[in-house]
Amino acid sequence: MRLRVEFTTEPFDLDEAPRHAVVAREVIQAAELEAVDVGPFGNTAEGRDDAVIAAVDALLRRSLEAGATRVSLQVNVIADGPQGVPGAPEGAPEIAEDGR
């Protein structure tokens, strides 16, 4: 299974990247992830489920230790699921074309 993680750390500082943001970026860039995109207002990365979960664990621990007061993240399944529906988890019910 492949996952995509999107995250931000706070507090923000528009003048200079805070230590927690730098640490979070270093964790993600060092992880075995693909499609890494880091920016001032949001970051994304994709990879195998085990690699993303390990990176999220390290991201939370290290950015909080570095002074983050809030970490917002979202993790999505991006692998093809049943009937080729992107992101559908295995065993998900089929949805008819009319949405029912």
Side-chain angles (χ1 to χ4, degrees):
M1 172 179 4
R2 289 183 52 78
L3 301 175
R4 175 183 298 123
V5 60
E6 302 174 48
F7 68 92
T8 58
T9 61
E10 295 179 39
F12 295 115
D13 183 342
L14 296 178
D15 295 326
E16 183 177 329
R19 176 79 182 127
H20 59 81
V22 172
V23 167
R25 179 178 24 197
E26 291 171 352
V27 167
I28 292 301
Q29 290 175 327
E32 294 181 23
L33 302 175
E34 305 144 20
V36 175
D37 183 22
V38 295
F41 300 109
N43 309 281
T44 61
E46 297 177 7
R48 294 180 333 273
D49 57 345
D50 58 335
V52 170
I53 291 168
V56 166
D57 177 60
L59 166 75
L60 290 171
R61 293 175 189 277
R62 293 195 49 213
S63 61
L64 291 169
E65 289 171 358
T69 57
R70 178 179 177 141
V71 179
S72 301
L73 64 91
Q74 179 173 311
V75 178
N76 293 298
V77 175
I78 59 172
D80 284 346
Q83 285 69 45
V85 177
E90 281 193 46
E94 291 184 41
I95 298 174
E97 287 185 28
D98 63 2
R100 290 188 252 151

